[in-house]
């Protein structure tokens, strides 16, 4: 920039020998150097902070020393707000970048001054890198609100898990068995909504202890009605069938069940004394025999004296024979002995008569009559044989054939 101090001469001028000032980028540090060395000398080192304003969206740069050339890239966090509301966690990327444009229009017919302006406008383009997609982990519940998973914000979407819905149905006893789904118009978080499954089952509530009958209502939230089925029992004395409602029987305690199972008629069991139990229908042991008050008639051993006493007093008040009874017994004994002697005498007389009649038949019969009797017996026997001779002959032949066949079997076959 200095003028040559030599007189007009031919050829190149001598190097400039004047001194010039070379400063740093911020201008706070300066050095004096010959003018001829200005282009080959680097700016002096400056220990002050760089004062160049930032070109990105941050209000200030990270502190660094003064330097020559462009500032280093911004290393601060971007922190721009996404549309989702999160801040960008990437390093700063909003500094404009320049690159030559392609397809610049060339028109040789235009003057250079106009063409230069056009080329300067198309020589480079400014590129600003947008923020990357938001990857901040965001918790997201499944449609049925069973579990929570974390997704990158940019990938956030509705999803279903592998569990069933599980919300309590209107019956209050079962849950929705549909897969995980979005519930519509649910009163609470645990109750089923309009699009949940409905319960079509029969009531499955546990029955009271002792009841074996199923509830006839469909599945319901309130308590089951009382069981009205009649149960058939035998009363304690086993003579009369009783019909008791199931709920009355199952809700009764041990004493009440004994009362329900009584027919209220007199017990039909017979005591060891032979009388009927005087209690009404009851469980357990009957009336003790020492408390039986039935009236009975007792007689002495000879049956002459009789007396009406209670059953439990029969041993103490049993009548005994007196002197009159003993006198009557003696008379009866004498009468029996006399009657027995008469019977023995009568039997002896009959035996004697039979013996005499037999002896007369054996020794007193004439000889002629004996021969006639023998002849009559022979005639009777011969007449029998002549009458049944055909049958006798056939029977004999049959016996002979049977014997022959048995002998043949024994000899040849065995």
């Amino acid at each position: 920039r200095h003028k040559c101090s030599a007189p007009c001469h031919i050829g190149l001028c001598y190097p400039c020998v004047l001194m010039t000032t070379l400063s740093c980028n911020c201008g706070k540090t300066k050095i004096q150097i010959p003018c001829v060395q200005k282009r080959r000398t680097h700016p002096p080192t400056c220990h002050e902070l760089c004062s160049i304003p930032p070109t990105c969206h941050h209000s200030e740069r990270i502190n660094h020393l003064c330097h020559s050339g462009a500032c280093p890239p911004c290393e601060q966090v971007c922190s721009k707000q996404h549309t989702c509301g999160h801040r960008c966690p990437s390093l700063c990327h909003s500094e404009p970048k320049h690159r030559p444009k392609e397809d610049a229009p060339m028109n040789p017919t235009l003057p250079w001054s106009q063409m230069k302006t056009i080329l300067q406008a198309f020589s480079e383009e400014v590129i600003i890198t947008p923020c990357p997609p938001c990857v901040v982990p965001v918790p997201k519940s499944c449609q049925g609100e069973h579990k929570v998973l974390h997704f990158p914000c940019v990938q956030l979407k509705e999803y279903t898990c592998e569990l069933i819905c599980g919300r309590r149905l209107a019956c209050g006893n079962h849950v929705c068995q549909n897969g995980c789904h979005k519930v519509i118009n649910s009163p609470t978080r645990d109750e089923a909504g309009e699009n949940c499954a409905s319960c079509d089952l029969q009531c499955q509530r546990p029955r009271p202890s002792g009841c074996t009958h199923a509830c006839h209502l469909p599945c319901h939230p309130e308590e089951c009605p009382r069981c009205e089925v009649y149960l058939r029992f035998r009363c304690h004395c086993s003579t009369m069938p009783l019909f008791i409602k199931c709920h009355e029987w199952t809700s009764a305690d041990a004493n009440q069940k004994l009362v329900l199972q009584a027919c209220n008629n007199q017990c039909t069991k017979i005591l060891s004394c032979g009388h009927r139990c005087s209690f009404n229908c009851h469980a357990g042991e009957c009336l003790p025999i020492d408390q039986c008050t039935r009236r009975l008639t007792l007689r002495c051993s000879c049956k002459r004296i009789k007396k009406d006493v209670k059953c439990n007093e029969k041993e103490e008040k049993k009548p005994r024979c007196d002197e009159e009874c003993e006198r009557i017994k003696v008379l009866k004994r004498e009468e029996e002995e006399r009657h027995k002697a008469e019977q023995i005498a009568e039997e002896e007389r009959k035996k004697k008569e039979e013996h005499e009649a037999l002896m007369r038949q054996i020794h007193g019969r004439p000889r002629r009559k004996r021969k006639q009797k023998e002849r009559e017996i022979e005639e009777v026997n011969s007449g029998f044989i002549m009458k049944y001779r055909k049958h006798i002959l056939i029977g004999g032949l049959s016996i002979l054939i049977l014997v022959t066949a048995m002998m043949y079997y024994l000899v040849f076959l065995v």
Side-chain angles (χ1 to χ4, degrees):
R1 294 180 297 174
H2 301 123
K3 292 183 179 181
C4 180
S5 59
C8 182
H9 56 83
I10 300 173
L12 297 177
C13 295
Y14 291 98
C16 182
V17 294
L18 298 177
M19 299 298 289
T20 185
T21 302
L22 182 62
S23 62
C24 66
N25 196 18
C26 63
K28 295 181 180 180
T29 303
K30 301 177 181 179
I31 59 174
Q32 296 289 325
I33 59 173
C35 180
V36 69
Q37 297 179 3
K38 185 176 181 179
R39 293 185 178 181
R40 298 192 300 270
T41 304
H42 294 287
T45 301
C46 181
H47 296 286
E48 300 291 333
L49 295 177
C50 179
S51 60
I52 299 176
T55 58
C56 62
H57 66 283
H58 293 108
S59 59
E60 58 183 13
R61 293 181 182 272
I62 297 176
N63 292 334
H64 60 282
L65 297 177
C66 180
H67 58 87
S68 58
C71 289
C74 180
E75 295 182 355
Q76 301 181 68
V77 178
C78 176
S79 296
K80 282 186 175 180
Q81 188 173 6
H82 290 286
T83 55
C84 62
H86 299 120
R87 298 285 179 177
C88 178
S90 303
L91 293 179
C92 181
H93 51 80
S94 62
E95 288 185 315
K97 297 180 181 179
H98 303 272
R99 67 177 182 181
K101 284 188 176 181
E102 299 178 357
D103 301 330
M106 298 296 293
N107 190 354
T109 61
L110 294 176
W112 173 246
S113 58
Q114 295 182 10
M115 195 62 202
K116 183 179 179 180
T117 304
I118 295 173
L119 290 176
Q120 287 179 351
F122 282 88
S123 61
E124 58 184 15
E125 60 180 349
V126 179
I127 299 175
I128 299 177
T129 305
C131 291
C134 181
V135 293
V136 176
V138 177
K140 179 65 176 178
S141 298
C142 62
Q143 292 186 354
E145 299 182 359
H146 303 116
K147 60 173 60 176
V148 177
L149 298 179
H150 289 78
F151 295 93
C153 183
V154 69
Q155 298 179 4
L156 197 62
K157 60 181 180 180
E158 296 287 340
Y159 72 97
T160 58
C161 66
E162 70 281 0
L163 301 177
I164 62 172
C165 176
R167 293 192 176 227
R168 188 173 62 253
L169 300 178
C171 66
N173 304 314
H174 302 96
V175 296
C176 177
Q177 295 296 322
N178 292 341
C180 178
H181 63 94
K182 188 174 183 180
V183 182
I184 301 175
N185 295 336
S186 174
T188 63
R189 191 177 183 278
D190 297 329
E191 296 183 13
E194 295 178 355
N195 58 336
C196 287
S198 59
C199 181
D200 300 325
L201 299 175
Q202 197 71 12
C203 177
Q204 298 177 352
R205 283 177 172 267
R207 305 299 295 159
S209 177
C211 179
T212 58
H213 312 105
C215 178
H216 62 279
L217 297 177
C219 192
H220 55 90
E222 65 276 358
E223 292 295 330
C224 296
R226 299 186 304 178
C227 182
E228 300 291 336
V229 178
Y230 282 93
L231 303 178
R232 189 176 185 273
F233 293 92
R234 282 282 179 181
C235 64
H236 298 299
C237 52
S238 301
T239 59
M240 183 175 180
L242 300 177
F243 296 91
I244 305 171
K245 290 184 178 181
C246 182
H247 73 88
E248 295 178 357
W249 179 260
T250 55
S251 61
D253 56 18
N255 294 329
Q256 292 174 343
K257 287 182 179 179
L258 295 178
V259 175
L260 289 173
Q261 205 170 350
C263 64
N264 297 324
N265 295 323
Q266 184 181 354
C267 179
T268 58
K269 296 177 182 178
I270 304 299
L271 304 177
S272 59
C273 63
H275 298 128
R276 184 176 173 181
C277 177
S278 61
F279 288 166
N280 285 341
C281 183
H282 63 91
E285 298 294 331
C286 289
L287 176 73
I289 58 173
D290 58 354
Q291 297 181 13
C292 180
T293 58
R294 291 288 300 273
R295 307 292 298 186
L296 69 159
T297 302
L298 297 179
R299 292 178 180 271
C300 64
S301 59
C302 66
K303 310 297 182 184
R304 188 183 72 86
I305 302 174
K306 66 177 182 178
K307 189 177 181 180
D308 291 339
V309 297
K310 294 181 179 180
C311 180
N312 57 351
E313 300 175 351
K314 62 183 179 181
E315 296 297 333
E316 294 82 3
K317 297 183 179 182
K318 184 177 181 179
R320 311 294 179 185
C321 291
D322 56 5
E323 294 179 356
E324 182 66 20
C325 292
E326 294 296 331
R327 190 182 66 82
I328 293 173
K329 285 182 182 179
V330 171
L331 293 176
K332 283 186 178 181
R333 193 182 306 115
E334 293 175 354
E335 181 68 23
E336 288 176 358
E337 290 177 356
R338 185 182 61 80
H339 183 66
K340 187 176 182 180
E342 290 178 356
Q343 286 182 349
I344 292 172
E346 183 68 21
E347 288 178 359
E348 291 293 335
R349 186 182 63 79
K350 287 182 180 180
K351 286 181 181 179
K352 186 177 180 181
E353 290 178 356
E354 290 176 357
H355 179 70
E356 291 176 355
L358 180 62
M359 294 303 292
R360 282 196 303 270
Q361 289 179 0
I362 296 174
H363 301 290
R365 183 180 299 173
R367 187 176 181 84
R368 184 177 58 83
K369 289 184 179 181
R370 286 202 306 269
K371 289 184 178 180
Q372 184 179 358
K373 186 65 175 177
E374 291 175 357
R375 193 167 47 252
E376 289 178 356
I377 292 171
E378 290 178 358
E379 289 178 358
V380 169
N381 293 336
S382 61
F384 176 80
I385 294 171
M386 291 301 292
K387 183 177 180 180
Y388 296 101
R389 63 181 180 278
K390 185 182 295 184
H391 299 283
I392 294 172
L393 182 60
I394 293 172
L397 290 174
S398 301
I399 293 172
L400 182 61
I401 292 170
L402 180 60
V403 171
T404 305
M406 292 178 64
M407 291 179 64
Y408 177 80
Y409 174 77
L410 294 173
V411 173
F412 294 99
L413 297 181
V414 175

